[in-house]
mmCIF file of all heavy atoms in Angstrom:
data_model
loop_
_atom_site.group_PDB
_atom_site.id
_atom_site.type_symbol
_atom_site.label_atom_id
_atom_site.label_comp_id
_atom_site.label_asym_id
_atom_site.label_seq_id
_atom_site.Cartn_x
_atom_site.Cartn_y
_atom_site.Cartn_z
ATOM 1 N N LEU A 38 -28.216 15.484 4.584
ATOM 2 C CA LEU A 38 -28.045 14.267 5.383
ATOM 3 C C LEU A 38 -26.574 13.873 5.416
ATOM 4 O O LEU A 38 -26.002 13.515 6.441
ATOM 5 C CB LEU A 38 -28.932 13.186 4.774
ATOM 6 C CG LEU A 38 -28.785 11.772 5.450
ATOM 7 C CD1 LEU A 38 -29.203 11.896 6.892
ATOM 8 C CD2 LEU A 38 -29.639 10.787 4.673
ATOM 9 N N VAL A 39 -25.858 13.943 4.240
ATOM 10 C CA VAL A 39 -24.470 13.518 4.123
ATOM 11 C C VAL A 39 -23.653 14.502 4.952
ATOM 12 O O VAL A 39 -22.765 14.093 5.736
ATOM 13 C CB VAL A 39 -23.978 13.483 2.673
ATOM 14 C CG1 VAL A 39 -22.454 13.356 2.654
ATOM 15 C CG2 VAL A 39 -24.722 12.410 1.948
ATOM 16 N N ASP A 40 -23.850 15.862 4.819
ATOM 17 C CA ASP A 40 -23.091 16.840 5.580
ATOM 18 C C ASP A 40 -23.274 16.713 7.066
ATOM 19 O O ASP A 40 -22.306 16.714 7.777
ATOM 20 C CB ASP A 40 -23.577 18.283 5.134
ATOM 21 C CG ASP A 40 -23.155 18.538 3.697
ATOM 22 O OD1 ASP A 40 -22.533 17.697 3.101
ATOM 23 O OD2 ASP A 40 -23.443 19.676 3.205
ATOM 24 N N GLN A 41 -24.442 16.454 7.495
ATOM 25 C CA GLN A 41 -24.715 16.223 8.953
ATOM 26 C C GLN A 41 -24.002 15.021 9.467
ATOM 27 O O GLN A 41 -23.520 14.944 10.551
ATOM 28 C CB GLN A 41 -26.193 16.226 9.251
ATOM 29 C CG GLN A 41 -26.501 16.245 10.679
ATOM 30 C CD GLN A 41 -26.029 17.544 11.415
ATOM 31 O OE1 GLN A 41 -26.197 18.628 10.984
ATOM 32 N NE2 GLN A 41 -25.264 17.282 12.506
ATOM 33 N N THR A 42 -23.926 13.939 8.628
ATOM 34 C CA THR A 42 -23.293 12.722 9.047
ATOM 35 C C THR A 42 -21.805 12.946 9.254
ATOM 36 O O THR A 42 -21.157 12.502 10.210
ATOM 37 C CB THR A 42 -23.558 11.630 8.054
ATOM 38 O OG1 THR A 42 -24.940 11.436 7.886
ATOM 39 C CG2 THR A 42 -22.884 10.319 8.439
ATOM 40 N N CYS A 43 -21.245 13.821 8.381
ATOM 41 C CA CYS A 43 -19.795 14.091 8.432
ATOM 42 C C CYS A 43 -19.590 14.927 9.706
ATOM 43 O O CYS A 43 -18.588 14.697 10.482
ATOM 44 C CB CYS A 43 -19.396 15.023 7.269
ATOM 45 S SG CYS A 43 -19.303 13.990 5.674
ATOM 46 N N ILE A 44 -20.412 15.973 10.044
ATOM 47 C CA ILE A 44 -20.259 16.628 11.264
ATOM 48 C C ILE A 44 -20.471 15.816 12.458
ATOM 49 O O ILE A 44 -19.729 15.940 13.488
ATOM 50 C CB ILE A 44 -21.270 17.821 11.215
ATOM 51 C CG1 ILE A 44 -20.939 18.821 10.081
ATOM 52 C CG2 ILE A 44 -21.299 18.597 12.536
ATOM 53 C CD1 ILE A 44 -22.007 19.875 9.882
ATOM 54 N N ASP A 45 -21.406 14.967 12.473
ATOM 55 C CA ASP A 45 -21.648 14.042 13.653
ATOM 56 C C ASP A 45 -20.427 13.077 13.875
ATOM 57 O O ASP A 45 -20.162 12.672 15.024
ATOM 58 C CB ASP A 45 -22.853 13.165 13.367
ATOM 59 C CG ASP A 45 -24.137 13.985 13.443
ATOM 60 O OD1 ASP A 45 -24.130 15.119 13.874
ATOM 61 O OD2 ASP A 45 -25.194 13.453 12.911
ATOM 62 N N PHE A 46 -19.681 12.873 12.830
ATOM 63 C CA PHE A 46 -18.512 12.012 12.961
ATOM 64 C C PHE A 46 -17.279 12.744 13.611
ATOM 65 O O PHE A 46 -16.412 12.145 14.152
ATOM 66 C CB PHE A 46 -18.052 11.499 11.523
ATOM 67 C CG PHE A 46 -16.971 10.476 11.608
ATOM 68 C CD1 PHE A 46 -17.204 9.145 11.789
ATOM 69 C CD2 PHE A 46 -15.636 10.862 11.431
ATOM 70 C CE1 PHE A 46 -16.178 8.169 11.843
ATOM 71 C CE2 PHE A 46 -14.586 9.890 11.539
ATOM 72 C CZ PHE A 46 -14.840 8.604 11.656
ATOM 73 N N GLY A 47 -17.401 14.126 13.652
ATOM 74 C CA GLY A 47 -16.394 14.879 14.267
ATOM 75 C C GLY A 47 -15.645 15.883 13.400
ATOM 76 O O GLY A 47 -14.799 16.626 13.779
ATOM 77 N N LEU A 48 -16.044 15.845 12.069
ATOM 78 C CA LEU A 48 -15.482 16.822 11.164
ATOM 79 C C LEU A 48 -16.176 18.170 11.332
ATOM 80 O O LEU A 48 -17.422 18.217 11.678
ATOM 81 C CB LEU A 48 -15.663 16.390 9.652
ATOM 82 C CG LEU A 48 -15.034 15.015 9.349
ATOM 83 C CD1 LEU A 48 -15.219 14.718 7.901
ATOM 84 C CD2 LEU A 48 -13.498 15.090 9.659
ATOM 85 N N ARG A 49 -15.519 19.324 11.060
ATOM 86 C CA ARG A 49 -16.081 20.539 11.299
ATOM 87 C C ARG A 49 -17.161 20.854 10.197
ATOM 88 O O ARG A 49 -18.136 21.513 10.417
ATOM 89 C CB ARG A 49 -15.145 21.641 11.264
ATOM 90 C CG ARG A 49 -14.317 21.712 12.594
ATOM 91 C CD ARG A 49 -13.169 22.769 12.510
ATOM 92 N NE ARG A 49 -12.210 22.439 11.433
ATOM 93 C CZ ARG A 49 -11.123 23.100 11.212
ATOM 94 N NH1 ARG A 49 -10.819 24.205 11.879
ATOM 95 N NH2 ARG A 49 -10.210 22.763 10.284
ATOM 96 N N ASN A 50 -16.869 20.225 9.010
ATOM 97 C CA ASN A 50 -17.882 20.339 7.963
ATOM 98 C C ASN A 50 -17.589 19.237 6.922
ATOM 99 O O ASN A 50 -16.508 18.592 6.981
ATOM 100 C CB ASN A 50 -17.793 21.773 7.164
ATOM 101 C CG ASN A 50 -16.359 22.110 6.821
ATOM 102 O OD1 ASN A 50 -15.868 21.408 5.970
ATOM 103 N ND2 ASN A 50 -15.868 23.207 7.406
ATOM 104 N N ALA A 51 -18.401 19.054 5.887
ATOM 105 C CA ALA A 51 -18.231 17.951 5.021
ATOM 106 C C ALA A 51 -17.051 18.128 4.089
ATOM 107 O O ALA A 51 -16.371 17.146 3.722
ATOM 108 C CB ALA A 51 -19.500 17.833 4.103
ATOM 109 N N LYS A 52 -16.595 19.408 3.865
ATOM 110 C CA LYS A 52 -15.454 19.685 3.039
ATOM 111 C C LYS A 52 -14.102 19.034 3.640
ATOM 112 O O LYS A 52 -13.213 18.825 2.957
ATOM 113 C CB LYS A 52 -15.323 21.158 2.815
ATOM 114 C CG LYS A 52 -16.396 21.715 1.867
ATOM 115 C CD LYS A 52 -16.106 23.139 1.520
ATOM 116 C CE LYS A 52 -17.174 23.690 0.583
ATOM 117 N NZ LYS A 52 -16.926 25.082 0.232
ATOM 118 N N GLU A 53 -14.160 18.934 4.936
ATOM 119 C CA GLU A 53 -12.952 18.350 5.595
ATOM 120 C C GLU A 53 -12.672 16.926 5.201
ATOM 121 O O GLU A 53 -11.614 16.394 5.381
ATOM 122 C CB GLU A 53 -13.006 18.448 7.082
ATOM 123 C CG GLU A 53 -12.729 19.875 7.698
ATOM 124 C CD GLU A 53 -12.487 19.749 9.185
ATOM 125 O OE1 GLU A 53 -12.720 18.707 9.803
ATOM 126 O OE2 GLU A 53 -11.969 20.775 9.721
ATOM 127 N N LEU A 54 -13.708 16.222 4.610
ATOM 128 C CA LEU A 54 -13.620 14.933 4.301
ATOM 129 C C LEU A 54 -12.483 14.653 3.296
ATOM 130 O O LEU A 54 -11.765 13.627 3.293
ATOM 131 C CB LEU A 54 -14.936 14.442 3.621
ATOM 132 C CG LEU A 54 -15.075 12.879 3.511
ATOM 133 C CD1 LEU A 54 -15.040 12.188 4.795
ATOM 134 C CD2 LEU A 54 -16.501 12.602 2.819
ATOM 135 N N GLY A 55 -12.268 15.607 2.304
ATOM 136 C CA GLY A 55 -11.249 15.530 1.408
ATOM 137 C C GLY A 55 -9.880 15.454 1.928
ATOM 138 O O GLY A 55 -8.981 14.907 1.254
ATOM 139 N N ALA A 56 -9.673 16.034 3.063
ATOM 140 C CA ALA A 56 -8.286 15.984 3.707
ATOM 141 C C ALA A 56 -8.163 14.979 4.790
ATOM 142 O O ALA A 56 -7.159 14.886 5.503
ATOM 143 C CB ALA A 56 -8.006 17.366 4.236
ATOM 144 N N SER A 57 -9.207 14.113 5.047
ATOM 145 C CA SER A 57 -9.180 13.131 6.152
ATOM 146 C C SER A 57 -8.203 12.041 5.763
ATOM 147 O O SER A 57 -7.818 11.758 4.623
ATOM 148 C CB SER A 57 -10.564 12.618 6.365
ATOM 149 O OG SER A 57 -11.048 11.893 5.234
ATOM 150 N N SER A 58 -7.838 11.188 6.807
ATOM 151 C CA SER A 58 -7.045 9.990 6.661
ATOM 152 C C SER A 58 -7.807 8.863 6.113
ATOM 153 O O SER A 58 -9.101 8.939 6.003
ATOM 154 C CB SER A 58 -6.410 9.651 8.043
ATOM 155 O OG SER A 58 -7.439 9.060 8.818
ATOM 156 N N ILE A 59 -7.163 7.868 5.724
ATOM 157 C CA ILE A 59 -7.807 6.701 5.068
ATOM 158 C C ILE A 59 -8.894 6.112 6.027
ATOM 159 O O ILE A 59 -10.017 5.906 5.699
ATOM 160 C CB ILE A 59 -6.796 5.574 4.677
ATOM 161 C CG1 ILE A 59 -5.930 6.124 3.578
ATOM 162 C CG2 ILE A 59 -7.516 4.340 4.183
ATOM 163 C CD1 ILE A 59 -4.750 5.186 3.304
ATOM 164 N N ARG A 60 -8.417 5.921 7.350
ATOM 165 C CA ARG A 60 -9.347 5.283 8.281
ATOM 166 C C ARG A 60 -10.425 6.199 8.709
ATOM 167 O O ARG A 60 -11.581 5.769 8.985
ATOM 168 C CB ARG A 60 -8.540 4.898 9.493
ATOM 169 C CG ARG A 60 -7.500 3.820 9.258
ATOM 170 C CD ARG A 60 -8.219 2.429 8.891
ATOM 171 N NE ARG A 60 -7.219 1.502 8.450
ATOM 172 C CZ ARG A 60 -7.385 0.165 8.617
ATOM 173 N NH1 ARG A 60 -8.515 -0.314 9.185
ATOM 174 N NH2 ARG A 60 -6.464 -0.696 8.277
ATOM 175 N N GLN A 61 -10.162 7.525 8.699
ATOM 176 C CA GLN A 61 -11.311 8.517 8.991
ATOM 177 C C GLN A 61 -12.402 8.425 7.877
ATOM 178 O O GLN A 61 -13.575 8.378 8.091
ATOM 179 C CB GLN A 61 -10.772 9.932 9.045
ATOM 180 C CG GLN A 61 -10.095 10.228 10.384
ATOM 181 C CD GLN A 61 -9.517 11.707 10.410
ATOM 182 O OE1 GLN A 61 -8.916 12.125 9.362
ATOM 183 N NE2 GLN A 61 -9.761 12.414 11.374
ATOM 184 N N LEU A 62 -11.899 8.380 6.659
ATOM 185 C CA LEU A 62 -12.806 8.322 5.518
ATOM 186 C C LEU A 62 -13.671 7.002 5.563
ATOM 187 O O LEU A 62 -14.769 6.997 5.313
ATOM 188 C CB LEU A 62 -11.958 8.306 4.149
ATOM 189 C CG LEU A 62 -12.862 8.389 2.888
ATOM 190 C CD1 LEU A 62 -13.785 9.533 2.829
ATOM 191 C CD2 LEU A 62 -11.916 8.361 1.633
ATOM 192 N N VAL A 63 -12.974 5.925 5.945
ATOM 193 C CA VAL A 63 -13.749 4.596 5.977
ATOM 194 C C VAL A 63 -14.774 4.773 7.065
ATOM 195 O O VAL A 63 -15.997 4.370 6.757
ATOM 196 C CB VAL A 63 -12.693 3.512 6.468
ATOM 197 C CG1 VAL A 63 -13.495 2.247 6.824
ATOM 198 C CG2 VAL A 63 -11.788 3.154 5.278
ATOM 199 N N GLY A 64 -14.486 5.360 8.252
ATOM 200 C CA GLY A 64 -15.492 5.483 9.291
ATOM 201 C C GLY A 64 -16.667 6.405 8.907
ATOM 202 O O GLY A 64 -17.754 6.114 9.142
ATOM 203 N N VAL A 65 -16.310 7.478 8.193
ATOM 204 C CA VAL A 65 -17.406 8.443 7.805
ATOM 205 C C VAL A 65 -18.315 7.807 6.772
ATOM 206 O O VAL A 65 -19.498 7.888 6.847
ATOM 207 C CB VAL A 65 -16.911 9.743 7.269
ATOM 208 C CG1 VAL A 65 -17.930 10.603 6.632
ATOM 209 C CG2 VAL A 65 -16.098 10.588 8.287
ATOM 210 N N VAL A 66 -17.702 7.108 5.737
ATOM 211 C CA VAL A 66 -18.524 6.423 4.733
ATOM 212 C C VAL A 66 -19.381 5.381 5.308
ATOM 213 O O VAL A 66 -20.546 5.185 4.941
ATOM 214 C CB VAL A 66 -17.544 5.821 3.633
ATOM 215 C CG1 VAL A 66 -18.327 4.928 2.714
ATOM 216 C CG2 VAL A 66 -16.948 6.955 2.880
ATOM 217 N N LYS A 67 -18.870 4.649 6.251
ATOM 218 C CA LYS A 67 -19.757 3.585 6.932
ATOM 219 C C LYS A 67 -20.962 4.305 7.582
ATOM 220 O O LYS A 67 -22.102 3.721 7.512
ATOM 221 C CB LYS A 67 -18.984 2.805 7.999
ATOM 222 C CG LYS A 67 -17.907 1.907 7.455
ATOM 223 C CD LYS A 67 -18.466 0.764 6.719
ATOM 224 C CE LYS A 67 -17.427 -0.212 6.195
ATOM 225 N NZ LYS A 67 -18.025 -1.284 5.347
ATOM 226 N N ASP A 68 -20.777 5.431 8.216
ATOM 227 C CA ASP A 68 -21.878 6.136 8.775
ATOM 228 C C ASP A 68 -22.882 6.684 7.760
ATOM 229 O O ASP A 68 -24.056 6.643 7.983
ATOM 230 C CB ASP A 68 -21.367 7.334 9.705
ATOM 231 C CG ASP A 68 -20.745 6.932 10.989
ATOM 232 O OD1 ASP A 68 -20.883 5.677 11.311
ATOM 233 O OD2 ASP A 68 -20.129 7.800 11.633
ATOM 234 N N ILE A 69 -22.280 7.142 6.635
ATOM 235 C CA ILE A 69 -23.182 7.642 5.511
ATOM 236 C C ILE A 69 -23.978 6.477 4.969
ATOM 237 O O ILE A 69 -25.201 6.618 4.727
ATOM 238 C CB ILE A 69 -22.398 8.292 4.473
ATOM 239 C CG1 ILE A 69 -21.669 9.592 4.968
ATOM 240 C CG2 ILE A 69 -23.307 8.740 3.264
ATOM 241 C CD1 ILE A 69 -20.764 10.262 4.017
ATOM 242 N N GLU A 70 -23.433 5.411 4.867
ATOM 243 C CA GLU A 70 -24.155 4.154 4.370
ATOM 244 C C GLU A 70 -25.349 3.836 5.312
ATOM 245 O O GLU A 70 -26.437 3.538 4.881
ATOM 246 C CB GLU A 70 -23.216 2.979 4.223
ATOM 247 C CG GLU A 70 -22.234 2.984 3.118
ATOM 248 C CD GLU A 70 -21.335 1.741 3.029
ATOM 249 O OE1 GLU A 70 -20.840 1.276 4.097
ATOM 250 O OE2 GLU A 70 -21.070 1.373 1.850
ATOM 251 N N ARG A 71 -25.068 3.899 6.572
ATOM 252 C CA ARG A 71 -26.116 3.607 7.517
ATOM 253 C C ARG A 71 -27.269 4.717 7.491
ATOM 254 O O ARG A 71 -28.417 4.380 7.560
ATOM 255 C CB ARG A 71 -25.513 3.528 9.017
ATOM 256 C CG ARG A 71 -24.908 2.216 9.290
ATOM 257 C CD ARG A 71 -24.545 2.049 10.790
ATOM 258 N NE ARG A 71 -23.491 3.040 11.149
ATOM 259 C CZ ARG A 71 -22.211 2.598 11.152
ATOM 260 N NH1 ARG A 71 -21.818 1.432 10.811
ATOM 261 N NH2 ARG A 71 -21.257 3.494 11.537
ATOM 262 N N ALA A 72 -26.791 5.881 7.327
ATOM 263 C CA ALA A 72 -27.809 6.983 7.283
ATOM 264 C C ALA A 72 -28.681 7.022 6.067
ATOM 265 O O ALA A 72 -29.823 7.347 6.104
ATOM 266 C CB ALA A 72 -27.120 8.313 7.456
ATOM 267 N N THR A 73 -28.053 6.651 4.883
ATOM 268 C CA THR A 73 -28.772 6.747 3.594
ATOM 269 C C THR A 73 -29.326 5.443 3.101
ATOM 270 O O THR A 73 -30.336 5.373 2.328
ATOM 271 C CB THR A 73 -27.834 7.335 2.582
ATOM 272 O OG1 THR A 73 -26.749 6.339 2.351
ATOM 273 C CG2 THR A 73 -27.244 8.602 2.937
ATOM 274 N N GLY A 74 -28.798 4.321 3.698
ATOM 275 C CA GLY A 74 -29.207 3.023 3.164
ATOM 276 C C GLY A 74 -28.592 2.627 1.926
ATOM 277 O O GLY A 74 -29.008 1.711 1.181
#
Side-chain angles (χ1 to χ4, degrees):
L38 180 58
V39 172
D40 292 359
Q41 188 58 51
T42 303
C43 291
I44 293 169
D45 291 344
F46 188 83
L48 303 177
R49 287 175 295 182
N50 54 62
K52 289 184 178 180
E53 282 195 348
L54 194 61
S57 62
S58 70
I59 297 171
R60 295 294 177 151
Q61 283 178 314
L62 183 60
V63 170
V65 173
V66 169
K67 291 293 184 185
D68 285 353
I69 295 173
E70 285 181 322
R71 283 191 288 268
T73 63

